[in-house]
Amino acid sequence: MNSSSKFPAKILKILYLLCLVLISGCIKATPTPTPTPEIQPTAAPTATSTPTPLGHPNNPVVIGLVNAQPETPIEESVNLMLDYLNTSTTLSISAHVFPSDEQLFAALENHEIHAAWLQPLTYIYAHEKGLTDVGLLTNHFGAYFYGTQFLANIESGFTAYFDPAVNKSTTDLITALSQFDGKRPCWVEPGSISGYILPLGLLEQEDIYIDTGVMAQTYSAVVRALYIKGVCDFGVTFAIFGDPRTSSAVLSDLPDALDRVIVIWQTEPIIPNLNFSFTPSVGEAVRAPILTALLDYVDTEDGKRILTQTLEGYDIQDLKIVDDSIYDPLRSAVQFSGADLSTWIGR
């Protein structure tokens, strides 16, 4: 009997299958390849557009103006002014005429204009809000500034500290105005700088306490009240570039008003006239040529006439470059007066 007969065929088959199992367990599994991450193409950088410079035809300098009297059109004079400025500066300059000072001020707040002609209280308020910087001051009827005078009837018993021969006060504020302590004033009206805000601020600054005042509404009415006596003890009006005591409204029936109503004391000329201001966004490269052009323009008779017409008949005799410090004396008096400048836009 041979050796193969020692093992039945069934056993051989089982051994054969076991060997196959053992062999397959020794074979290592082939690793699954890690996929290579997909490389995304880098986007090309977006080109940043260069802002159009101010003064370019696509971004003109806009000057704000007010015409509250539509029956007196100013468009023709505005266009003549713009023609001169555009030619002289090589900048593109336009104008926006508003029907009210309030609308012009709103345009400043909304950054819709770059320059404007502004009255003193309006400018102080706009500057406080960071909206404007003064550039030019106007010479109005021969003066760049005006002031306030304190008046009284000659029979009132007050001491006059004013020399009409030289048009100057002869003593300081506190010495002159202390005699008004406890007295009753005649004011003009609450929004009047020379007829209420400035003189009240000066009195408050020196702690001079006064009685409740009378609002006479006009400068000539203040003079008349002092002339007839009994209404108030003293009054205030504008001074420096004029005197309401010499107005036709007074002298027509009170020819001796200058003798009967006298100046007790007069401030220095500290109220600036109308100005031309820029917004802070306007750089020196744009400001300088515009200022130069306006200064050259007002040196001509046509320029004076056209600027006056452009500003609703506000007499312009000359212009000069100034800075914000010229408003400090008035700014101080305004603070002492307690005036809310937001209610006096246009003054």
Side-chain angles (χ1 to χ4, degrees), residues 159-170:
T159 301
Y161 293 99
F162 178 77
D163 185 351
V166 294
N167 200 35
K168 288 285 185 181
S169 295
T170 58

Side-chain angles (χ1 to χ4, degrees), residues 23-230:
I23 292 170
S24 64
C26 293
I27 299 172
K28 293 183 179 180
T30 303
T32 303
T34 302
T36 303
E38 184 180 354
I39 299 175
Q40 299 294 331
T42 303
T46 304
T48 302
S49 58
T50 303
T52 304
L54 185 62
H56 185 277
N58 293 334
N59 187 21
V61 178
V62 183
I63 298 174
L65 298 157
V66 173
N67 183 14
Q69 305 172 22
E71 68 277 6
T72 307
I74 64 172
E75 284 75 13
E76 182 179 352
S77 56
V78 170
N79 288 333
L80 289 171
M81 177 190 71
L82 291 176
D83 287 344
Y84 181 87
L85 293 179
N86 277 279
T87 301
S88 300
T89 64
T90 69
L91 296 168
S92 180
I93 304 173
S94 64
H96 190 140
V97 179
F98 298 89
S100 72
D101 292 282
E102 290 76 13
Q103 286 171 288
L104 183 147
F105 197 89
L108 281 173
E109 292 183 302
N110 295 328
H111 309 292
E112 296 169 359
I113 57 178
H114 305 101
W117 299 88
L118 301 174
Q119 293 286 3
L121 295 185
T122 309
Y123 169 76
I124 291 174
Y125 184 51
H127 186 74
E128 285 177 359
K129 293 172 70 69
L131 301 176
T132 52
D133 297 315
V134 65
L136 295 171
L137 189 65
T138 61
N139 182 306
H140 182 53
F141 290 125
Y144 287 100
F145 300 82
Y146 63 105
T148 287
Q149 60 186 6
F150 291 78
L151 306 173
N153 190 286
I154 196 169
E155 298 176 355
S156 64
F158 295 122
T159 301
Y161 293 99
F162 178 77
D163 185 351
V166 294
N167 200 35
K168 288 285 185 181
S169 295
T170 58
T171 191
D172 59 275
L173 181 155
I174 187 64
T175 300
L177 301 189
S178 290
Q179 58 188 324
F180 294 144
D181 192 80
K183 302 301 182 181
R184 190 178 194 186
C186 264
W187 308 119
V188 177
E189 50 91 14
S192 172
I193 302 175
S194 60
Y196 181 69
I197 293 174
L198 173 59
L200 175 62
L202 294 175
L203 292 165
E204 291 288 337
Q205 179 180 323
E206 300 299 334
D207 293 326
I208 298 171
Y209 299 100
I210 53 174
D211 198 358
T212 302
V214 175
M215 292 294 174
Q217 299 305 317
T218 67
Y219 295 101
S220 60
V222 170
V223 176
R224 288 177 173 279
L226 295 172
Y227 185 95
I228 64 175
K229 298 187 298 183

Side-chain angles (χ1 to χ4, degrees), residues 198-280:
L198 173 59
L200 175 62
L202 294 175
L203 292 165
E204 291 288 337
Q205 179 180 323
E206 300 299 334
D207 293 326
I208 298 171
Y209 299 100
I210 53 174
D211 198 358
T212 302
V214 175
M215 292 294 174
Q217 299 305 317
T218 67
Y219 295 101
S220 60
V222 170
V223 176
R224 288 177 173 279
L226 295 172
Y227 185 95
I228 64 175
K229 298 187 298 183
V231 178
C232 44
D233 300 305
F234 71 96
V236 292
T237 70
F238 64 83
I240 309 301
F241 66 63
D243 188 336
R245 296 177 300 160
T246 63
S247 68
S248 59
V250 171
L251 293 180
S252 60
D253 59 343
L254 301 177
D256 61 341
L258 277 172
D259 298 322
R260 300 287 299 166
V261 180
I262 61 172
V263 179
I264 302 299
W265 191 78
Q266 187 181 94
T267 70
E268 292 295 318
I270 59 175
I271 305 173
N273 290 331
L274 184 79
N275 77 29
F276 182 75
S277 292
F278 292 101
T279 61

Side-chain angles (χ1 to χ4, degrees), residues 274-318:
L274 184 79
N275 77 29
F276 182 75
S277 292
F278 292 101
T279 61
S281 64
V282 181
E284 187 62 24
V286 173
R287 293 187 188 204
I290 294 176
L291 294 178
T292 299
L294 286 170
L295 289 169
D296 291 342
Y297 198 36
V298 80
D299 274 344
T300 69
E301 289 306 311
D302 278 349
K304 288 182 177 69
R305 175 180 57 81
I306 291 167
L307 286 173
T308 296
Q309 292 173 349
T310 296
L311 299 171
E312 295 185 293
Y314 186 92
D315 178 78
I316 303 294
Q317 293 297 317
D318 207 350

